[in-house]
Amino acid sequence: MFSCLLVALVAGAFVLPLARADLPQTQPSSPYIAGPDEALLVFVRPRKRLAEEVLYSVVNARGECIAVLGNDWKVVAPIRGGKETLMVVSGVAQPQVQLLEVRALQGRTYVIQMRPRLNRKAPVDLTILRREEQPLEAFPATVLTSNPFRPNLAECSAFVSDKRRKLSEKAAAAKKAWNEDQALRERQTVVPGDGWPANLITP
């Protein structure tokens, strides 16, 4: 699947995610509850005082932006479920790429926290909030305190298309580091049991 990402980046074969006809259109009782035929990724970026704003973009293997994170944003991204490798892109002029692998079950919601850190090669601290590590396996209450932000994904996809050559090089380097570091893979892989079903999210 990752090879498909590289092919998409090099070839520029992007499909702007303006319509998600392949996913169910029903509205759940909470924006953080996944539909029965999808998995839901919730990306959370806590507020932090920064000298300048740097957006984080989450890109799937087809070259589509599925989420954009600014300071103090929560963003939801529906996916089909199953195994998928995502790129987390930070920066614009000199973008950096980190990998996030997702193995998601349909009907489950997964939470990934993203914090900035002073590391040029890995400027985003990716923390998967694993269900078994939460008190009583409860869904993180801080996520429920506000509705998710809805970023302009078309602008993000245009940026990815414009930077596809540079991003393909960064993605290849990130994949090499990923293959060589088992601890990194385990730390940045969402596994099926990390997700919450609807009945554990509704207050």
Side-chain angles (χ1 to χ4, degrees):
M1 181 172 292
F2 185 80
S3 61
C4 294
L5 170 62
L6 293 179
V7 170
L9 286 170
V10 174
F14 299 96
V15 180
L16 296 182
L18 299 180
R20 300 299 296 272
D22 57 326
L23 296 176
Q25 302 300 310
T26 57
Q27 295 295 322
S29 57
S30 164
Y32 300 111
I33 293 179
D37 299 321
E38 67 181 15
L40 197 65
L41 304 181
V42 181
F43 296 98
V44 179
R45 183 174 172 181
R47 178 181 293 278
K48 187 171 182 177
R49 292 181 180 178
L50 301 171
E52 60 180 335
E53 179 70 20
V54 177
L55 296 179
Y56 304 154
S57 303
V58 183
V59 184
N60 66 19
R62 296 176 295 282
E64 301 168 337
C65 283
I66 65 170
V68 178
L69 271 290
N71 200 22
D72 199 30
W73 290 8
K74 301 184 186 80
V75 175
V76 298
I79 62 173
R80 282 185 169 276
K83 182 178 178 180
E84 187 164 359
T85 300
L86 304 174
M87 288 198 314
V88 177
V89 181
S90 55
V92 177
Q94 295 294 330
Q96 298 298 318
V97 171
Q98 295 167 243
L99 300 185
L100 177 70
E101 185 169 297
V102 176
R103 303 172 185 174
L105 293 175
Q106 291 181 336
R108 298 289 181 94
T109 299
Y110 300 82
V111 181
I112 300 95
Q113 187 170 270
M114 313 170 88
R115 293 180 182 271
R117 64 181 175 190
L118 298 177
N119 186 325
R120 291 185 179 180
K121 293 184 178 179
V124 184
D125 180 17
L126 300 171
T127 301
I128 299 163
L129 301 189
R130 304 190 189 277
R131 176 178 155 188
E132 64 178 10
E133 296 175 355
Q134 304 305 306
L136 302 178
E137 298 193 359
F139 189 79
T142 54
V143 175
L144 299 173
T145 57
S146 62
N147 288 328
F149 184 80
R150 298 191 179 187
N152 188 325
L153 297 181
E155 287 185 1
C156 173
S157 289
F159 160 74
V160 173
S161 179
D162 182 61
K163 297 290 185 179
R164 61 184 180 272
R165 184 177 297 276
K166 180 167 290 189
L167 290 177
S168 67
E169 296 172 355
K170 299 286 187 177
K175 180 63 173 175
K176 183 177 184 296
W178 178 269
N179 290 337
E180 296 173 349
D181 192 337
Q182 182 178 350
L184 173 66
R185 295 196 303 272
E186 292 177 354
R187 188 168 61 251
Q188 294 181 190
T189 296
V190 176
V191 299
D194 292 335
W196 283 267
N199 67 300
L200 294 183
I201 297 175
T202 305

